[in-house]
Coordinates of all heavy atoms in Angstrom, one line a residue:
M72 N 209.4 68.4 196.5 CA 210.0 69.4 195.6 C 211.5 69.5 195.9 O 212.0 69.5 196.9 CB 209.3 70.8 195.8 CG 209.4 71.7 194.8 SD 208.6 71.1 193.2 CE 206.9 70.9 193.7
A73 N 212.3 69.5 194.8 CA 213.8 69.6 195.0 C 214.3 70.9 194.2 O 213.6 71.5 193.5 CB 214.4 68.4 194.3
F74 N 215.6 71.1 194.6 CA 216.4 72.2 193.8 C 216.9 71.6 192.6 O 217.2 70.4 192.5 CB 217.2 72.8 194.7 CG 216.7 73.6 195.8 CD1 216.3 73.3 197.0 CD2 216.5 75.0 195.4 CE1 215.7 74.1 198.0 CE2 215.8 75.9 196.4 CZ 215.5 75.4 197.6
V75 N 217.1 72.5 191.6 CA 217.7 72.0 190.3 C 218.9 72.9 189.9 O 218.8 74.2 190.0 CB 216.6 72.0 189.3 CG1 217.2 71.6 187.9 CG2 215.4 71.1 189.6
I76 N 220.0 72.3 189.5 CA 221.0 73.1 189.0 C 220.9 73.4 187.5 O 220.7 72.4 186.7 CB 222.4 72.5 189.4 CG1 222.5 72.4 191.0 CG2 223.6 73.3 188.8 CD1 223.7 71.6 191.3
T77 N 220.9 74.7 187.1 CA 220.7 75.1 185.6 C 222.0 75.5 185.0 O 223.0 75.3 185.5 CB 219.5 76.0 185.6 OG1 220.1 77.2 186.4 CG2 218.3 75.5 186.3
S78 N 221.7 75.9 183.8 CA 222.8 76.3 182.8 C 224.0 77.2 183.3 O 225.1 76.9 182.9 CB 222.2 76.9 181.6 OG 221.6 78.1 181.8
P79 N 223.8 78.1 184.2 CA 224.9 78.9 184.6 C 226.1 78.1 185.3 O 227.2 78.3 185.2 CB 224.4 80.0 185.6 CG 223.1 80.2 185.2 CD 222.6 78.7 184.7
C80 N 225.7 76.9 185.8 CA 226.7 76.0 186.4 C 227.8 75.4 185.4 O 228.8 75.2 185.6 CB 226.0 74.8 187.0 SG 227.2 73.8 188.0
M81 N 227.1 75.3 184.2 CA 228.0 74.7 183.0 C 229.3 75.5 182.8 O 230.2 75.0 182.4 CB 227.1 74.5 181.8 CG 226.1 73.4 182.2 SD 225.0 73.1 180.6 CE 226.0 71.9 179.9
S82 N 229.1 76.8 183.0 CA 230.3 77.5 182.6 C 231.2 78.0 183.9 O 232.3 78.3 183.8 CB 229.9 79.0 182.0 OG 229.0 79.6 182.8
E83 N 230.5 77.8 185.1 CA 231.2 78.1 186.3 C 231.7 76.8 187.0 O 232.9 76.8 187.3 CB 230.2 78.8 187.2 CG 230.9 79.2 188.6 CD 232.1 80.2 188.4 OE1 232.0 81.1 187.4 OE2 232.9 80.2 189.3
K84 N 230.8 75.9 187.3 CA 231.1 74.6 188.0 C 232.1 74.8 189.1 O 233.1 74.1 189.2 CB 231.7 73.6 186.9 CG 231.5 72.2 187.3 CD 232.0 71.3 186.2 CE 231.9 69.9 186.5 NZ 232.5 69.0 185.6
S85 N 231.8 75.7 190.0 CA 232.7 76.0 191.2 C 232.6 75.0 192.3 O 233.4 74.8 193.0 CB 232.4 77.4 191.6 OG 231.1 77.7 192.1
G86 N 231.4 74.5 192.6 CA 231.2 73.4 193.6 C 231.0 73.9 195.0 O 230.9 73.1 195.9
E87 N 230.8 75.1 195.4 CA 230.5 75.6 196.7 C 229.4 74.9 197.2 O 229.2 74.6 198.4 CB 230.4 77.1 196.7 CG 231.7 77.8 196.7 CD 231.9 78.4 195.3 OE1 231.4 77.7 194.4 OE2 232.6 79.4 195.3
C88 N 228.3 74.5 196.4 CA 227.1 74.0 196.8 C 227.4 72.6 197.4 O 226.6 72.2 198.4 CB 226.2 73.8 195.6 SG 226.8 73.0 194.2
V89 N 228.2 71.9 197.0 CA 228.6 70.5 197.4 C 229.0 70.6 198.9 O 228.6 69.7 199.8 CB 229.7 69.9 196.6 CG1 230.1 68.6 197.2 CG2 229.3 69.7 195.2
D90 N 229.8 71.5 199.3 CA 230.3 71.5 200.6 C 229.3 71.9 201.7 O 229.4 71.6 202.9 CB 231.5 72.6 200.8 CG 232.6 72.2 199.8 OD1 232.9 71.1 199.7 OD2 233.2 73.1 199.4
V91 N 228.2 72.5 201.5 CA 227.2 73.0 202.2 C 226.0 72.0 202.4 O 225.2 72.1 203.2 CB 226.8 74.4 202.0 CG1 227.9 75.4 202.2 CG2 226.0 74.5 200.7
C92 N 225.9 71.1 201.4 CA 224.7 70.2 201.4 C 224.7 69.3 202.6 O 225.6 68.4 202.7 CB 224.7 69.4 200.1 SG 223.1 68.4 200.0
P93 N 223.7 69.4 203.5 CA 223.7 68.6 204.8 C 223.4 67.1 204.4 O 223.6 66.2 205.3 CB 222.6 69.1 205.6 CG 221.7 69.8 204.7 CD 222.5 70.3 203.5
V94 N 222.8 66.7 203.3 CA 222.5 65.3 203.0 C 223.3 64.7 201.9 O 223.1 63.6 201.3 CB 221.0 65.2 202.8 CG1 220.2 65.4 203.9 CG2 220.6 66.1 201.5
D95 N 224.3 65.5 201.4 CA 225.2 65.0 200.3 C 224.6 64.6 199.0 O 224.8 63.5 198.5 CB 226.1 64.0 200.9 CG 227.2 64.5 202.0 OD1 227.6 65.5 201.9 OD2 227.4 63.6 202.8
C96 N 223.6 65.4 198.6 CA 222.8 64.9 197.5 C 223.3 65.6 196.1 O 222.7 65.4 195.0 CB 221.3 65.2 197.6 SG 220.9 67.0 197.7
I97 N 224.5 66.4 196.2 CA 225.0 67.0 195.0 C 226.2 66.3 194.5 O 227.1 66.1 195.4 CB 225.3 68.5 195.3 CG1 224.0 69.2 195.8 CG2 225.7 69.2 194.1 CD1 224.1 70.6 196.3
E98 N 226.3 66.0 193.2 CA 227.4 65.3 192.7 C 227.8 66.0 191.4 O 227.1 66.6 190.7 CB 227.0 63.9 192.4 CG 226.8 63.0 193.6 CD 226.6 61.5 193.2 OE1 227.3 61.0 192.3 OE2 225.9 60.8 194.1
E99 N 229.1 65.8 191.1 CA 229.7 66.4 189.9 C 229.5 65.4 188.8 O 229.9 64.3 188.9 CB 231.1 66.7 190.2 CG 231.9 67.5 189.0 CD 233.2 67.9 189.2 OE1 233.7 67.7 190.4 OE2 233.8 68.5 188.4
G100 N 229.0 66.0 187.7 CA 228.8 65.2 186.5 C 229.9 65.7 185.4 O 230.8 66.7 185.9
E101 N 229.9 65.3 184.4 CA 230.9 65.7 183.3 C 230.9 67.2 183.0 O 231.8 67.9 182.9 CB 230.7 64.9 182.0 CG 231.8 65.1 181.0 CD 231.6 64.2 179.9 OE1 231.4 62.9 180.0 OE2 231.8 64.7 178.8
D102 N 229.7 67.7 182.8 CA 229.4 69.2 182.4 C 228.9 70.1 183.4 O 229.0 71.3 183.3 CB 228.6 69.2 181.1 CG 227.1 68.7 181.3 OD1 227.0 67.9 182.5 OD2 226.3 68.9 180.6
Q103 N 228.4 69.5 184.6 CA 227.9 70.3 185.6 C 227.7 69.6 186.9 O 227.9 68.3 186.9 CB 226.5 71.0 185.2 CG 225.4 70.0 185.1 CD 224.1 70.6 184.8 OE1 223.8 70.8 183.7 NE2 223.3 71.0 185.9
F104 N 227.2 70.3 188.0 CA 226.8 69.4 189.2 C 225.4 69.2 189.0 O 224.6 69.9 188.3 CB 227.1 70.5 190.4 CG 228.5 70.4 190.8 CD1 229.3 71.5 190.3 CD2 229.1 69.6 191.6 CE1 230.6 71.6 190.6 CE2 230.5 69.5 192.0 CZ 231.2 70.5 191.4
Y105 N 225.0 68.1 189.8 CA 223.5 67.7 189.7 C 223.0 67.5 191.2 O 223.8 67.0 192.1 CB 223.4 66.4 189.1 CG 223.7 66.5 187.6 CD1 225.0 66.0 187.1 CD2 222.7 67.0 186.7 CE1 225.2 66.3 185.6 CE2 223.0 67.1 185.3 CZ 224.2 66.8 184.8 OH 224.6 66.8 183.6
I106 N 221.8 67.9 191.5 CA 221.1 67.6 192.8 C 220.2 66.4 192.7 O 219.4 66.4 191.8 CB 220.3 68.8 193.3 CG1 221.3 70.0 193.5 CG2 219.6 68.5 194.5 CD1 220.6 71.3 193.8
N107 N 220.5 65.4 193.5 CA 219.5 64.2 193.4 C 218.1 64.6 193.9 O 217.9 64.9 195.1 CB 220.2 63.1 194.3 CG 219.3 61.8 194.2 OD1 218.2 61.7 193.9 ND2 220.2 60.8 194.4
P108 N 217.1 64.6 193.0 CA 215.8 65.0 193.4 C 215.1 64.1 194.4 O 214.2 64.5 195.1 CB 215.0 65.1 192.1 CG 215.8 64.1 191.1 CD 217.3 64.2 191.7
N109 N 215.7 62.8 194.6 CA 215.1 61.9 195.5 C 215.6 62.1 196.9 O 215.0 61.6 197.9 CB 215.4 60.6 195.1 CG 214.7 60.3 193.7 OD1 213.4 60.6 193.5 ND2 215.3 59.6 192.8
T110 N 216.8 62.9 197.0 CA 217.4 62.9 198.4 C 217.4 64.3 198.9 O 217.7 64.6 200.1 CB 218.7 62.3 198.5 OG1 219.6 62.8 197.5 CG2 218.6 60.8 198.4
C111 N 217.2 65.3 198.0 CA 217.2 66.7 198.3 C 216.1 67.0 199.4 O 215.1 66.6 199.3 CB 216.9 67.5 197.2 SG 216.8 69.4 197.5
I112 N 216.4 67.7 200.4 CA 215.5 68.0 201.5 C 215.0 69.5 201.5 O 214.5 69.9 202.3 CB 216.1 67.6 203.0 CG1 217.4 68.5 203.2 CG2 216.4 66.2 203.1 CD1 217.9 68.4 204.6
D113 N 215.4 70.0 200.4 CA 214.9 71.5 200.2 C 215.3 72.4 201.3 O 214.5 73.4 201.6 CB 213.3 71.5 200.0 CG 212.9 70.5 198.9 OD1 213.5 70.6 197.9 OD2 211.7 69.9 199.2
C114 N 216.5 72.3 201.8 CA 217.0 73.2 202.8 C 217.3 74.6 202.2 O 217.4 75.6 203.0 CB 218.1 72.6 203.7 SG 219.5 72.5 202.7
G115 N 217.8 74.6 201.0 CA 218.2 75.9 200.4 C 219.6 76.2 200.8 O 220.0 77.5 200.3
M116 N 220.4 75.6 201.3 CA 221.8 76.0 201.7 C 222.6 76.1 200.3 O 223.4 77.0 200.3 CB 222.4 74.9 202.5 CG 221.7 74.7 203.9 SD 222.0 76.1 205.0 CE 223.8 76.0 205.2
C117 N 222.3 75.2 199.3 CA 223.1 75.3 198.1 C 222.7 76.6 197.3 O 223.7 77.3 196.8 CB 222.7 74.2 197.3 SG 221.0 74.0 196.8
V118 N 221.5 77.1 197.4 CA 221.1 78.2 196.7 C 221.9 79.4 197.2 O 222.4 80.3 196.5 CB 219.6 78.5 196.9 CG1 219.3 79.9 196.2 CG2 218.8 77.3 196.3
M119 N 222.1 79.5 198.5 CA 222.7 80.7 199.1 C 224.2 80.7 198.8 O 224.9 81.8 198.8 CB 222.7 80.7 200.6 CG 221.2 80.9 201.0 SD 220.8 81.0 202.8 CE 220.9 79.2 203.2
Q120 N 224.9 79.6 198.5 CA 226.3 79.5 198.2 C 226.7 79.5 196.6 O 227.8 79.8 196.4 CB 226.9 78.2 198.8 CG 226.9 78.1 200.3 CD 227.8 79.2 200.9 OE1 228.8 79.4 200.5 NE2 227.2 79.9 201.8
C121 N 225.8 79.4 195.9 CA 226.0 79.2 194.4 C 226.4 80.7 194.0 O 225.6 81.7 194.0 CB 224.8 78.9 193.7 SG 225.2 78.8 191.9
P122 N 227.7 80.8 193.5 CA 228.1 82.3 193.0 C 227.5 82.7 191.7 O 227.6 83.9 191.3 CB 229.6 82.0 192.9 CG 229.7 80.5 192.5 CD 228.7 79.8 193.2
V123 N 226.8 81.8 190.9 CA 226.2 82.3 189.8 C 224.7 82.1 189.6 O 224.0 82.1 188.6 CB 226.9 81.5 188.5 CG1 228.3 81.9 188.3 CG2 226.7 79.9 188.7
A124 N 224.0 81.8 190.7 CA 222.6 81.8 190.8 C 222.1 80.7 189.9 O 221.1 80.8 189.1 CB 222.0 83.1 190.5
A125 N 222.8 79.5 189.8 CA 222.3 78.5 188.9 C 221.3 77.5 189.5 O 220.7 76.7 188.8 CB 223.6 77.6 188.5
I126 N 221.1 77.6 190.9 CA 220.2 76.7 191.5 C 218.8 77.3 191.8 O 218.7 78.4 192.5 CB 220.8 76.2 192.9 CG1 222.3 75.7 192.6 CG2 219.9 75.2 193.5 CD1 223.0 75.3 193.8
V127 N 217.7 76.6 191.3 CA 216.4 77.1 191.5 C 215.5 76.0 191.9 O 215.8 74.8 191.8 CB 215.8 77.7 190.2 CG1 216.6 78.9 189.7 CG2 215.6 76.6 189.1
E128 N 214.4 76.4 192.6 CA 213.4 75.3 193.1 C 212.8 74.8 191.8 O 212.5 75.5 190.8 CB 212.4 76.0 194.1 CG 213.0 76.3 195.3 CD 211.9 76.8 196.4 OE1 211.4 75.8 197.0 OE2 211.8 77.9 196.4
E129 N 212.5 73.5 191.8 CA 211.8 72.8 190.7 C 210.7 73.4 190.3 O 210.5 73.6 189.0 CB 211.4 71.4 191.2 CG 211.0 70.5 190.2 CD 210.6 69.0 190.7 OE1 211.0 68.6 191.7 OE2 209.7 68.5 190.0
F130 N 209.8 74.0 191.0 CA 208.5 74.7 190.6 C 208.7 76.1 190.1 O 207.9 76.6 189.4 CB 207.4 74.6 191.7 CG 207.7 75.6 192.9 CD1 207.5 76.9 192.9 CD2 208.3 75.0 194.0 CE1 207.9 77.7 193.9 CE2 208.6 75.7 195.2 CZ 208.4 77.1 195.1
D131 N 210.0 76.6 190.1 CA 210.3 77.9 189.6 C 211.1 77.7 188.2 O 211.5 78.7 187.7 CB 211.2 78.7 190.6 CG 210.4 79.2 191.6 OD1 209.1 79.5 191.5 OD2 211.0 79.5 192.7
L132 N 211.2 76.5 187.8 CA 211.9 76.4 186.5 C 211.2 76.9 185.3 O 209.9 76.8 185.2 CB 212.1 74.8 186.2 CG 213.2 74.0 187.0 CD1 213.0 72.6 186.9 CD2 214.5 74.5 186.7
T133 N 211.9 77.6 184.5 CA 211.3 78.1 183.2 C 211.1 77.0 182.3 O 211.9 75.9 182.5 CB 212.1 79.2 182.7 OG1 213.4 78.7 182.2 CG2 212.4 80.3 183.6
P134 N 210.3 77.1 181.3 CA 210.2 76.0 180.3 C 211.6 75.6 179.7 O 211.7 74.5 179.4 CB 209.2 76.5 179.3 CG 208.3 77.5 180.1 CD 209.3 78.1 181.1
G135 N 212.4 76.7 179.5 CA 213.7 76.3 178.9 C 214.7 75.7 179.8 O 215.7 75.0 179.4
D136 N 214.4 75.7 181.2 CA 215.3 75.1 182.1 C 214.8 73.7 182.6 O 215.5 73.0 183.4 CB 215.5 76.0 183.4 CG 216.4 77.1 183.0 OD1 217.3 77.0 182.0 OD2 216.5 78.2 183.7
E137 N 213.6 73.3 182.2 CA 213.1 72.0 182.6 C 213.9 70.9 182.2 O 214.0 69.7 182.9 CB 211.6 71.9 182.1 CG 210.7 72.7 182.8 CD 209.3 72.6 182.2 OE1 209.1 71.9 181.2 OE2 208.3 73.3 182.9
E138 N 214.7 71.0 181.2 CA 215.7 70.0 180.8 C 216.7 69.6 181.8 O 217.1 68.4 181.9 CB 216.3 70.4 179.5 CG 217.3 71.5 179.6 CD 218.0 71.8 178.4 OE1 219.0 71.2 178.0 OE2 217.6 72.8 177.8
Y139 N 217.0 70.6 182.7 CA 218.0 70.3 183.8 C 217.5 69.4 184.8 O 218.3 68.6 185.4 CB 218.4 71.6 184.3 CG 219.3 72.3 183.2 CD1 218.7 73.3 182.4 CD2 220.6 72.0 182.8 CE1 219.4 74.0 181.5 CE2 221.4 72.6 181.9 CZ 220.7 73.6 181.2 OH 221.4 74.2 180.2
L140 N 216.2 69.4 185.1 CA 215.7 68.5 186.0 C 215.7 67.1 185.4 O 216.1 66.2 186.2 CB 214.2 68.9 186.4 CG 213.5 67.8 187.2 CD1 214.1 67.6 188.6 CD2 212.1 68.3 187.6
K141 N 215.5 67.0 184.1 CA 215.5 65.8 183.5 C 216.9 65.2 183.5 O 217.1 63.9 183.6 CB 214.8 65.9 182.0 CG 213.3 66.0 182.0 CD 212.8 66.1 180.6 CE 211.3 66.4 180.8 NZ 210.9 67.4 179.8
K142 N 217.8 66.1 183.1 CA 219.2 65.6 183.1 C 219.6 65.2 184.5 O 220.4 64.0 184.6 CB 220.2 66.8 182.8 CG 220.1 67.1 181.3 CD 221.1 68.4 181.1 CE 222.5 68.0 181.3 NZ 223.5 69.1 180.9
A143 N 219.2 65.7 185.6 CA 219.6 65.3 187.0 C 218.9 64.0 187.3 O 219.6 63.0 187.8 CB 219.1 66.3 188.0
E144 N 217.7 63.8 186.9 CA 217.0 62.5 187.0 C 217.7 61.4 186.4 O 218.0 60.3 186.8 CB 215.6 62.6 186.7 CG 214.8 63.4 187.5 CD 213.3 63.8 187.0 OE1 213.1 63.6 185.8 OE2 212.5 64.1 187.9
Q145 N 218.1 61.6 185.1 CA 218.8 60.6 184.3 C 220.2 60.3 184.9 O 220.7 59.3 185.0 CB 219.1 61.1 182.9 CG 217.7 61.1 182.2 CD 217.7 61.6 180.7 OE1 218.8 62.3 180.4 NE2 216.7 61.5 179.9
F146 N 221.0 61.4 185.4 CA 222.3 61.3 186.0 C 222.2 60.2 187.2 O 223.0 59.3 187.3 CB 222.7 62.6 186.4 CG 224.1 62.6 187.1 CD1 225.4 62.5 186.4 CD2 224.3 62.6 188.4 CE1 226.5 62.5 187.0 CE2 225.4 62.5 189.0 CZ 226.6 62.5 188.3
F147 N 221.2 60.4 188.0 CA 221.1 59.5 189.2 C 220.4 58.3 189.0 O 220.6 57.4 189.8 CB 220.3 60.4 190.4 CG 221.3 61.5 190.9 CD1 221.0 62.7 190.7 CD2 222.3 61.1 191.8 CE1 221.8 63.8 191.2 CE2 223.1 62.1 192.3 CZ 222.9 63.6 192.0
E148 N 219.7 58.1 187.9 CA 219.1 56.9 187.5 C 220.3 55.8 187.2 O 220.2 54.7 187.4 CB 218.2 57.0 186.2 CG 216.8 57.3 186.5 CD 216.0 57.4 185.3 OE1 216.5 57.0 184.2 OE2 214.9 57.9 185.4
N149 N 221.4 56.4 186.7 CA 222.5 55.5 186.3 C 223.4 55.2 187.4 O 224.5 54.7 187.2 CB 223.1 56.1 185.1 CG 222.3 56.3 183.9 OD1 221.5 55.4 183.6 ND2 222.4 57.4 183.2
R150 N 223.2 55.6 188.6 CA 224.0 55.4 189.8 C 223.7 54.2 190.4 O 222.7 53.7 190.5 CB 223.9 56.6 190.7 CG 224.4 57.9 190.0 CD 225.8 58.3 190.7 NE 226.3 59.4 190.0 CZ 227.5 59.2 189.3 NH1 228.1 58.1 189.3 NH2 228.0 60.2 188.8

């Protein structure tokens, strides 16, 4: 299970989450930051640092936010 960055990041995009990630699995995309679901270790450090509460656990995604997991998967597929 991984964490997912959702829509509030798109308007904020502050990046505090990047600095605290112990496995460097968060990267900046064009419109938001993304967490690599294949390397995230579920430590939750990013959640505590996000100033807009944009980061949620994958199993807590609402149906409307599931697209953000797909966006992250696509972002890292192209790397």
Side-chain angles (χ1 to χ4, degrees):
M72 207 57 64
F74 284 93
V75 180
I76 299 176
T77 60
S78 63
C80 182
M81 295 180 82
S82 60
E83 180 67 27
K84 204 174 172 189
S85 61
E87 285 97 331
C88 55
V89 176
D90 297 331
V91 299
C92 181
V94 293
D95 297 323
C96 71
I97 303 173
E98 293 186 29
E99 185 173 2
E101 186 176 315
D102 60 348
Q103 70 175 85
F104 285 93
Y105 295 99
I106 297 174
N107 188 328
N109 297 317
T110 57
C111 176
I112 61 170
D113 302 320
C114 69
M116 297 291 291
C117 58
V118 176
M119 293 182 281
Q120 291 298 313
C121 183
V123 293
I126 305 172
V127 298
E128 289 186 84
E129 182 179 341
F130 65 84
D131 285 335
L132 287 170
T133 63
D136 283 339
E137 289 176 352
E138 69 180 280
Y139 293 97
L140 175 59
K141 291 179 183 138
K142 283 179 68 175
E144 291 169 341
Q145 291 173 347
F146 178 82
F147 288 104
E148 279 179 6
N149 298 323
R150 297 250 168 245

